[in-house]
C-alpha cells in the first residue's frame, strides 16, 4: 500500500515544510511561474506521454480536452526543489497548522457542518472532530484548496523528471477522474504538487478512497460543499484501519513521544498510526490529534515548549515580530514562526542597527528594538 504522500520523505522537517506549502498556496495571479506555458519541450513530452495514457485506458478525447489549456509551470518546479530548506520545530509546525486561530475557526466550521460530520461518523466510524481537524490542517477548513491546474502541475513534474514516474501515475489518475466525469478540466485544481480539494487528496488516493457522500453521482472534493471531501477522508481512515471508540493518544507527563526537547510529551495509540497513513509524519499526526481535541472543546497543551534554540519563547518571538514591524521592518503576521520573511526583516534591522547580519532572532535584538 502506498501512503497518501509516499513521495514526501518522512522526516519531520520535510513533512512540516511540505504541509506549510500546501496550506499556503500562492494565488495564481500573483506568480507568473504559475501561468501555464506551452513550451516546446513540455509539448514534446506530452506527445510522448499520450500513447501511454491511451494504453492505460484513457480516451483520446479526454486526453485532448485535459491538455487543451494545460502547460508547463516553472513555479511548480521551483517549489519542488525548494521544499527542503530548513527544519522546523514541532512548536512552529503547530503554530502554522493548529494555532489558536485555527482552533477557533475549527469550532466554527464544526458547528456549521455538524450534521454532515456526524452522518459521516455514523457511516465510516471516524470521529467528526478528527475529520474536521484534517480539514483544518490541510486547507484551513476549505479556504486554501489551491487553484493550480492538476494536469499542468503533474505533467510538469512528470516531465521535470526528478520524481517523474510518481507524477506520471498522478497525471494518469487525474485523467481518469476526468474520464469518469467526477469534475471538468477547469475545476480539476489543487496545490502545486497536485493535492486536491478540501483535504488535499493526490489523484491516486482519490482513485482509491474518494466517495460520493451526497449521492449526486460525482465524487466532488473541489466544490464549496465539503461533504464528499470530508467523507472521502473518513473513508480513507476507515480503510486504513481506524479503530472505533479509541482515542488517537494524548498529552502525558512522562514517556511517549517528545518531538521538541523540553517540550510536551504525547502518548500515542493505534489510531495515531492510522492518521500517519494519511501523511507519514509524527508532527502531522500529533497536530491532527491535538487539533481534534481542541475542536471538541479541550484546552491548550498543559506543558510549555520553553525557549527555542535562540533562547526565545513563542511569546518573545511574537513580540520580536511586532517590534520589527513597528520599526518599519515587515515581518508579516506575528505568529512567532521565524520563516523567510521574518529572517529578511531581522537582516534589515541588523543592518540598520550596525550589528552582525545573521538573520537569527535573539534576546539582544528583542531588547535593541525596544518596547
Ligand atoms: Ca457527490
Amino acid at each position: 500500500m502506498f501512503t497518501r504522500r509516499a513521495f514526501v520523505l518522512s522526516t519531520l522537517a520535510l513533512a512540516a515544510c511540505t504541509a506549510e506549502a500546501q496550506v499556503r498556496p500562492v494565488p495564481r495571479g500573483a506568480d507568473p511561474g504559475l501561468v501555464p506555458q506551452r513550451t516546446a519541450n513540455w509539448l514534446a513530452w506530452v506527445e510522448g506521454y499520450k500513447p501511454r495514457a491511451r494504453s492505460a485506458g484513457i480516451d483520446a478525447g479526454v486526453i485532448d480536452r485535459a491538455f487543451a489549456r494545460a502547460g508547463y509551470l516553472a513555479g511548480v518546479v521551483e517549489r519542488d526543489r525548494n521544499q527542503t530548506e530548513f527544519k522546523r520545530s514541532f512548536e512552529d509546525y503547530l503554530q502554522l497548522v493548529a494555532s489558536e486561530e485555527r482552533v477557533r475557526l475549527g469550532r466554527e466550521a464544526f458547528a456549521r457542518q455538524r450534521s454532515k460530520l456526524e452522518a459521516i461518523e455514523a457511516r465510516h466510524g471516524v470521529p467528526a472532530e478528527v475529520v474536521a481537524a484534517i480539514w483544518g490542517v490541510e486547507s484551513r477548513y476549505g479556504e486554501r484548496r489551491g487553484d493550480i491546474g492538476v494536469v499542468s502541475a503533474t505533467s510538469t513534474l512528470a516531465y521535470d523528471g526528478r520524481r517523474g514516474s510518481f507524477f506520471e501515475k498522478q497525471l494518469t489518475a487525474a485523467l481518469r477522474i476526468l474520464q469518469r466525469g467526477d469534475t471538468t478540466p477547469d475545476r480539476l485544481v489543487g496545490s502545486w504538487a497536485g493535492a486536491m480539494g478540501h483535504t488535499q487528496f493526490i489523484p491516486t488516493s482519490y482513485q482509491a478512497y474518494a466517495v460520493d457522500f451526497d449521492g449526486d453521482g460525482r465524487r466532488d472534493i473541489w466544490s464549496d460543499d465539503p461533504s464528499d471531501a470530508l467523507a472521502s477522508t473518513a473513508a480513507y481512515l476507515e480503510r486504513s484501519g481506524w479503530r472505533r471508540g479509541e482515542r488517537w493518544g494524548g498529552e502525558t507527563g512522562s514517556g511517549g513521544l517528545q518531538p521538541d526537547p523540553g517540550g510536551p510529551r504525547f502518548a500515542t495509540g493505534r489510531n495515531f498510526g492510522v492518521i500517519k497513513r494519511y501523511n507519514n509524519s509524527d508532527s502531522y499526526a500529533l497536530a491532527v490529534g491535538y487539533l481534534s481535541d481542541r475542536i471538541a472543546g479541550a484546552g491548550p497543551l498543559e506543558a510549555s515548549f520553553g525557549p527555542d534554540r535562540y533562547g526565545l519563547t513563542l511569546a518573545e518571538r511574537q513580540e520580536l515580530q511586532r517590534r520589527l514591524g513597528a520599526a518599519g521592518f515587515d515581518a508579516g503576521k506575528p505568529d512567532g514562526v521565524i520563516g523567510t520573511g521574518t529572517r529578511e526583516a531581522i537582516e534589515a534591522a541588523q543592518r540598520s542597527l550596525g550589528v552582525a547580519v545573521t538573520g537569527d532572532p535573539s534576546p539582544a535584538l528583542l531588547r535593541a528594538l525596544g518596547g
Side-chain angles (χ1 to χ4, degrees):
M1 285 297 292
F2 55 87
T3 57
R4 191 178 59 113
R5 294 201 191 116
F7 66 100
V8 175
L9 299 179
S10 63
T11 63
L12 182 160
L14 193 50
C17 288
T18 304
E20 185 196 6
Q22 286 173 346
V23 296
R24 296 185 168 178
V26 176
R28 180 164 42 188
D31 183 345
L34 295 179
V35 176
Q37 303 293 329
R38 296 176 72 81
T39 64
N41 287 345
W42 177 83
L43 282 166
W45 184 88
V46 171
E47 286 311 309
Y49 164 73
K50 283 180 178 176
R52 299 198 290 280
R54 291 297 309 278
S55 62
I58 311 294
D59 298 341
V62 170
I63 298 172
D64 287 346
R65 281 192 295 280
F67 282 103
R69 292 171 64 186
Y72 176 77
L73 298 173
V76 161
V77 172
E78 196 185 316
R79 280 162 181 73
D80 185 47
R81 294 195 174 143
N82 287 344
Q83 48 168 331
T84 57
E85 269 176 21
F86 49 94
K87 180 177 161 68
R88 288 203 184 285
S89 65
F90 175 61
E91 185 185 24
D92 277 0
Y93 181 64
L94 266 192
Q95 275 294 102
L96 292 170
V97 303
S99 63
E100 288 301 318
E101 183 192 34
R102 200 74 63 105
V103 169
R104 180 178 58 75
L105 293 171
R107 289 173 177 168
E108 291 168 10
F110 188 92
R112 277 196 308 277
Q113 302 292 343
R114 182 169 209 125
S115 60
K116 261 173 212 157
L117 285 162
E118 285 175 354
I120 289 166
E121 175 171 344
R123 190 178 298 182
H124 295 287
V126 179
E129 62 269 20
V130 170
V131 174
I134 289 178
W135 187 26
V137 169
E138 294 286 351
S139 72
R140 211 170 186 263
Y141 312 102
E143 212 177 275
R144 297 169 177 172
R145 280 170 267 170
D147 64 355
I148 299 171
V150 173
V151 171
S152 292
T154 55
S155 65
T156 293
L157 291 165
Y159 153 74
D160 180 55
R162 201 166 71 85
R163 291 176 289 168
S165 75
F166 172 81
F167 283 107
E168 183 167 323
K169 283 193 191 82
Q170 299 308 321
L171 172 59
T172 304
L175 298 182
R176 243 183 260 291
I177 294 170
L178 297 175
Q179 176 144 307
R180 194 180 175 280
D182 284 305
T183 194
T184 59
D186 282 353
R187 298 186 66 221
L188 188 66
V189 294
S191 71
W192 65 266
M196 311 176 298
H198 291 264
T199 53
Q200 299 283 282
F201 268 45
I202 58 172
T204 50
S205 295
Y206 176 96
Q207 212 172 291
Y209 299 106
V211 297
D212 172 22
F213 186 76
D214 64 10
D216 70 351
R218 292 179 301 118
R219 299 176 294 171
D220 188 351
I221 63 170
W222 300 270
S223 77
D224 288 340
D225 177 348
S227 308
D228 284 0
L230 298 178
S232 298
T233 298
Y236 189 121
L237 296 177
E238 179 186 29
R239 285 176 55 193
S240 299
W242 187 270
R243 289 156 76 104
R244 291 180 187 230
E246 286 186 19
R247 282 180 49 71
W248 64 272
E251 189 183 2
T252 70
S254 63
L257 279 177
Q258 189 182 35
D260 288 352
R265 293 174 175 275
F266 300 91
T268 57
R270 292 274 286 270
N271 285 336
F272 177 77
V274 175
I275 298 170
K276 284 181 67 175
R277 295 289 297 276
Y278 205 79
N279 185 340
N280 189 21
S281 149
D282 284 348
S283 286
Y284 177 86
L286 289 173
V288 166
Y290 160 76
L291 183 57
S292 73
D293 289 346
R294 296 296 311 276
I295 289 172
L301 293 171
E302 282 179 18
S304 75
F305 281 91
D308 65 6
R309 63 200 165 106
Y310 301 107
L312 297 171
T313 63
L314 173 62
E316 288 168 335
R317 294 194 297 277
Q318 289 174 312
E319 181 58 22
L320 175 64
Q321 287 171 318
R322 275 190 287 270
R323 289 185 189 180
L324 283 165
F329 309 106
D330 182 17
K333 195 173 83 173
D335 58 5
V337 178
I338 310 298
T340 313
T342 303
R343 288 190 168 277
E344 284 169 5
I346 290 172
E347 287 175 9
Q350 288 171 326
R351 233 173 264 121
S352 117
L353 288 164
V355 299
V357 178
T358 62
D360 292 337
S362 68
L365 181 64
L366 179 61
R367 284 192 300 274
L369 288 167

